[in-house]
Amino acid sequence: MRISELLLKETMILDLRSSTKNDVIEELASELDRAGRLKDKSKFIEAIHEREQQTTTGIGDGIAIPHAKTSAVKHPTIVFGRSHKGIDYDSLDGKPSHLFFMIAASEGANNAHLQTLSRLSTLLIDEDFRRILMKANSKEEVLTAINEKEKEKLASEENDVKMSDSKEKFVVAVTGCPTGIAHTYMAADSLKDKAKALGIKIKVETNGSDGVKNRLTDEEIRKADAIIIAADTKVEKERFAGKRLIEEPVTAGIRKPEELLKRAISGTAPVFQGEGGSSTSESGERKKSGFYKHLMNGVSNMLPFVVGGGILIAISFFFGVEAFDPDSPEFHPFAQLLMDIGGGNAFYLMVPVLAAFIAMSIADRPGFAPGMVAGLIASTGGAGFLGGIIAGFLAGYLVELLKVIFKSMPQSLAGIKTILLYPLFGIFLSGYIMMEWIIGPVGWFNTTLENWLSGMGTGNIVLLGLLLGAMMAVDMGGPINKAAFTFGIAMIDAGNFAPHAAIMAGGMVPPLGIALATTLFKNKFTKQEKEAGKTNYIMGASFITEGAIPFAAADPGRVIPSIIVGSSVAGGLAMLFGNTLMAPHGGLFVVFVAVGNWPLYLLAVLIGAVITALMIGFWKKPVDLK
C-alpha cells in the first residue's frame, strides 16, 4: 500500500489558520471529519491529546506528527497541514512546527495500513524532502513529492546492507513508542541512516502497532558490540544480559542517533546485568522511576478487580442489601453467588495484586512474587489497602537490594538468582517485616482512621467531601484525581463507604456540567463542541471524568475553576446528605442499588453539574465574539 492511498487531496490544508497546538489539532481533525474518515471526532481528538500527554509528537526540525489508533477512526487516513509562519507545538527542539501529518489509524487497521502510515514518518527525516514540501504550490505537488520520495525509500529498503562477519563495528537496536505508529519507525530509520554514514553495521528491531518486526536473533545479539534501546515502552531486556547496553527514550533515537551510535562503539556503555536488573550509567547511578509511577502501575492493574468485583457486589444488592447472607430473610442464592465472586474473590485479590504490580514496577519480574505474598499478608492481617501499598514498595526495594547483594555471583550461576534466590529471600524478608513490624501499626492506624471518620461532626464531614470532590476535578484523571480515588477505595476496604460517595459525585460532575453547558448555552460553543457535549452526558453518567479534558484544554481559565467548584459542592453535599457508596465504580449504573439514600445523592450530583454549567455559561463569550 502506498502513502498516496491514505493521504488524499480532501485531507490536505496548505495554509493552516491555527496559531496554537490545540487549534491545529482541532483544525486537522475537522478536515478528517469533513472527509468522512472519522466516526467520532471528539473521541478521536481525545485520543490525540492522550498521546500528546505521553510525549509530544512535535519531534523538531519543524515537524509534528500527531497520531492515534482508535475506534473513532472509520478509515485509516493521513491529513497534511502546512503553516508558513509556524505554530508552537511544544516541539522537542523548542522551535515552531511548520509541517503537520496527523495520522488516524483505525482500531482494526491491518498491517499494510500500519506499515504505510509508519513509512511516512521515516521520510520526514530528510531535510531536502521537508524543504520540497514547504515550497510546494499545490496539493498535486505535495503528492508527487511524497510518491517520489516513497519510491526511493522502498528501493533503499530492498538494498539494506545485511550483517556480515567482517570486523566492522556491529550494533543492534530496539525502538518502540506507546502508539507504535510514527516515533518507532522514525527512530529506527534515523539510527540506520546515521549508522550508514558512520560506517557502522546495524540491525534495528521495531516494536510497533503491527507487532515486533525485524526481531533480533540470539546470534546477532551475541555478535553485537553494543545494544541501543530507544523506546518508551517495555522491551524484553533479559536477552541482552552481559552486553553493553544504552537505554534512552525513543525521541533520542530520532534526535541524537550519532551520539547514541558513537557511545555504543566506544566501549564505554555500561554492561547490563540481567535478571531484572538494569545497566548503570557512567556515574554509577541507576535511574529510578518515581513513586507515582510505581503506585499507578499497581492501581491500574488492580482496577479491573475493583471495578468488576464492585459492580458484581452492587448487582447482588438488587435482591436486597443483605440477600447474600443465608441468615437474612432476604436471602437469595444468586445474590450469594455474586457476593462470593465479587467480594469473596475479586476483592480478596485486590490488595495482593496492587502490591505485586507495585513491586514489579520497581524490581521487574523478580519483585512480583514477594509483592504478591506481602500484599496477601497485608490483606489478611488487617493492614488493608494502605498496608498493600507499603507491602509493594517494601518488596520491590528489598528485591533491588538483593540484586546488589548477589551481583558478584559468577555468571554461570546467574540462572538460580531468578528462580531461587530472589523468590526465597524476597518472599521471606518482605513477609517477615510485614508480619513483625507493619501489619500491627498499620492495622491500628486503619481502625483509628475509620473510627475518626465515623465520629466526625457534620461540619468536618462536609469539609472532607468538599476537598475530595475538588480533587477529582483538578486534573481529571491525573495524579490528584487518582490520589482521591485511591483514598476512596482504601476507605471501602476499611468498611467506611461515605468518602467514596463524595469522590464519585465529584468525578461525575465535570463531564455532566460541561454537557449541560453545551445544551443551555448553545451560542457559547462551536458545532463540534456541542456534539462533543452530547457524549459527555454518557461519560459523566459512567463516572469517566476524563470526558472534560478536551474542553479544559481548550479553555482552562474558565472551565477548570468551574468544574472544581461544581465537583466540590457535589462532594460536600453527598457527605452532608449522609450518602454511602458500596461499589467503587459504575456511576449512574450502580447508584440505585449501591448508594445509600440515592435520591439525595442524585440531587447532589445535579446541583454540582448545574453550578458548573452556569459558571461556564456566564464566563464564556459567544462564539462569534471570540
Side-chain angles (χ1 to χ4, degrees), residues 244-264:
R244 295 194 177 277
L245 176 69
I246 297 170
E247 192 169 6
E248 294 285 349
V250 68
T251 50
I254 301 171
R255 304 289 303 160
K256 303 186 295 182
E258 184 171 356
E259 178 184 324
L260 295 181
L261 288 163
K262 286 183 176 179
R263 280 173 58 194

Side-chain angles (χ1 to χ4, degrees), residues 311-613:
I311 293 177
L312 286 175
I313 293 171
I315 294 172
S316 76
F317 297 151
F318 275 113
F319 300 91
V321 176
E322 296 183 356
F324 64 89
D325 185 356
D327 297 327
S328 170
E330 297 178 320
F331 176 70
H332 192 287
F334 190 65
Q336 183 186 30
L337 176 66
L338 291 169
M339 182 61 73
D340 286 345
I341 296 171
N345 290 279
F347 261 42
Y348 182 78
L349 290 171
M350 178 178 72
V351 173
V353 167
L354 168 74
F357 280 96
I358 290 175
M360 187 174 179
S361 178
I362 297 167
D364 215 330
R365 196 173 300 173
F368 188 83
M372 178 71 80
V373 174
L376 184 61
I377 292 171
S379 179
T380 57
F385 194 81
L386 177 59
I389 294 174
I390 295 172
F393 282 96
L394 172 66
Y397 285 114
L398 275 174
V399 173
E400 286 290 274
L401 177 62
L402 291 173
K403 291 177 185 177
V404 175
I405 293 172
F406 296 128
K407 187 176 181 180
S408 58
M409 285 184 65
Q411 187 67 26
S412 59
L413 299 176
I416 70 168
K417 289 190 286 187
T418 301
I419 63 171
L420 175 61
L421 298 181
Y422 295 151
L424 174 62
F425 288 100
I427 290 172
F428 170 72
L429 291 173
S430 57
Y432 178 78
I433 294 172
M434 286 296 299
M435 296 184 77
E436 292 295 320
W437 291 309
I438 303 297
I439 60 174
V442 175
W444 172 85
F445 175 80
N446 287 336
T447 302
T448 303
L449 179 61
E450 185 181 351
N451 292 336
W452 176 70
L453 288 172
S454 300
M456 286 179 76
T458 301
N460 289 333
I461 287 175
V462 172
L463 286 175
L464 179 62
L466 289 169
L467 174 63
L468 292 173
M471 289 175 70
M472 292 300 292
V474 168
D475 54 1
M476 297 155 284
I480 298 174
N481 171 286
K482 287 293 190 293
F485 184 77
T486 301
F487 174 75
I489 294 175
M491 289 300 95
I492 290 177
D493 184 52
N496 190 314
F497 303 107
H500 206 70
I503 288 164
M504 191 165 83
M508 292 170 69
V509 162
L512 287 176
I514 286 170
L516 198 57
T518 61
T519 301
L520 297 176
F521 304 96
K522 294 183 183 294
N523 65 324
K524 305 292 182 77
F525 298 91
T526 65
K527 181 181 178 181
Q528 290 79 15
E529 287 173 333
K530 284 182 280 191
E531 288 299 314
K534 295 176 184 177
T535 64
N536 267 271
Y537 280 114
I538 304 299
M539 298 183 82
S542 305
F543 184 29
I544 302 175
T545 315
E546 288 84 349
I549 289 176
F551 290 86
D555 192 2
R558 296 182 180 93
V559 173
I560 293 178
S562 301
I563 62 177
I564 290 175
V565 171
S567 293
S568 182
V569 169
L573 288 175
M575 296 292 263
L576 178 65
F577 295 156
N579 297 126
T580 57
L581 175 62
M582 301 180 74
H585 213 289
L588 190 64
F589 304 100
V590 300
V591 163
F592 303 105
V593 294
V595 174
N597 202 358
W598 64 262
L600 286 180
Y601 187 72
L602 291 179
L603 179 63
V605 174
L606 179 61
I607 291 173
V610 169
I611 289 173
T612 291

Side-chain angles (χ1 to χ4, degrees), residues 57-365:
T57 56
I59 61 172
D61 293 326
I63 309 164
I65 311 178
H67 56 274
K69 184 180 178 184
T70 168
S71 59
V73 175
K74 190 182 298 182
H75 306 291
T77 311
I78 300 166
V79 57
F80 169 69
R82 184 177 65 183
S83 170
H84 287 286
K85 63 181 180 180
I87 297 169
D88 182 2
Y89 200 85
D90 299 330
S91 295
L92 294 172
D93 59 4
K95 297 178 181 178
S97 296
H98 298 273
L99 298 173
F100 298 84
F101 286 88
M102 178 175 277
I103 297 175
S106 58
E107 206 165 54
N110 59 38
N111 287 351
H113 285 134
L114 293 171
Q115 289 167 4
T116 305
L117 292 169
S118 304
R119 191 184 309 128
L120 166 69
S121 61
T122 67
L123 304 183
L124 297 170
I125 295 172
D126 190 324
E127 183 179 354
D128 292 335
F129 177 58
R130 299 196 301 268
R131 194 177 295 115
I132 292 171
L133 293 180
M134 285 299 299
K135 292 181 178 179
N137 294 317
S138 66
K139 295 178 180 181
E140 289 78 8
E141 286 187 31
V142 171
L143 286 173
T144 299
I146 290 174
N147 279 331
E148 291 179 356
K149 185 64 180 175
E150 187 176 22
K151 288 179 183 177
E152 292 178 16
K153 173 65 178 172
L154 292 171
S156 174
E157 287 176 354
E158 291 177 2
N159 294 319
D160 269 350
V161 179
K162 296 182 179 179
M163 186 189 78
S164 70
D165 292 325
S166 69
K167 294 185 178 180
E168 286 183 273
K169 290 291 185 179
F170 176 58
V171 174
V172 297
V174 182
T175 63
C177 72
T179 308
I181 294 175
H183 289 56
T184 300
Y185 302 96
M186 293 186 75
D189 266 39
S190 182
L191 287 166
K192 286 190 285 187
D193 289 347
K194 185 56 65 175
K196 186 175 181 180
L198 295 173
I200 301 171
K201 299 284 186 183
I202 190 169
K203 179 176 178 180
V204 185
E205 172 185 300
T206 55
N207 288 233
S209 288
D210 54 346
V212 175
K213 298 295 182 185
N214 215 26
R215 182 180 287 276
L216 302 174
T217 66
D218 292 341
E219 177 68 8
E220 289 163 341
I221 294 170
R222 186 186 66 79
K223 290 186 175 182
D225 293 287
I227 289 90
I228 297 171
I229 296 178
D232 295 327
T233 54
K234 189 82 171 176
V235 171
E236 302 171 31
K237 292 197 296 183
E238 287 303 312
R239 53 190 167 148
F240 303 136
K243 303 294 295 187
R244 295 194 177 277
L245 176 69
I246 297 170
E247 192 169 6
E248 294 285 349
V250 68
T251 50
I254 301 171
R255 304 289 303 160
K256 303 186 295 182
E258 184 171 356
E259 178 184 324
L260 295 181
L261 288 163
K262 286 183 176 179
R263 280 173 58 194
I265 64 174
S266 68
T268 60
V271 175
F272 176 59
Q273 300 301 325
E275 272 65 61
S278 180
S279 53
T280 53
S281 64
E282 285 80 353
S283 63
E285 295 178 350
R286 184 182 172 199
K287 296 180 180 178
K288 300 282 186 185
S289 298
F291 173 89
Y292 176 74
K293 178 182 176 182
H294 300 319
L295 178 61
M296 285 303 104
N297 189 60
V299 170
S300 63
N301 283 285
M302 175 199 68
L303 276 181
F305 295 86
V306 175
V307 175
I311 293 177
L312 286 175
I313 293 171
I315 294 172
S316 76
F317 297 151
F318 275 113
F319 300 91
V321 176
E322 296 183 356
F324 64 89
D325 185 356
D327 297 327
S328 170
E330 297 178 320
F331 176 70
H332 192 287
F334 190 65
Q336 183 186 30
L337 176 66
L338 291 169
M339 182 61 73
D340 286 345
I341 296 171
N345 290 279
F347 261 42
Y348 182 78
L349 290 171
M350 178 178 72
V351 173
V353 167
L354 168 74
F357 280 96
I358 290 175
M360 187 174 179
S361 178
I362 297 167
D364 215 330
R365 196 173 300 173

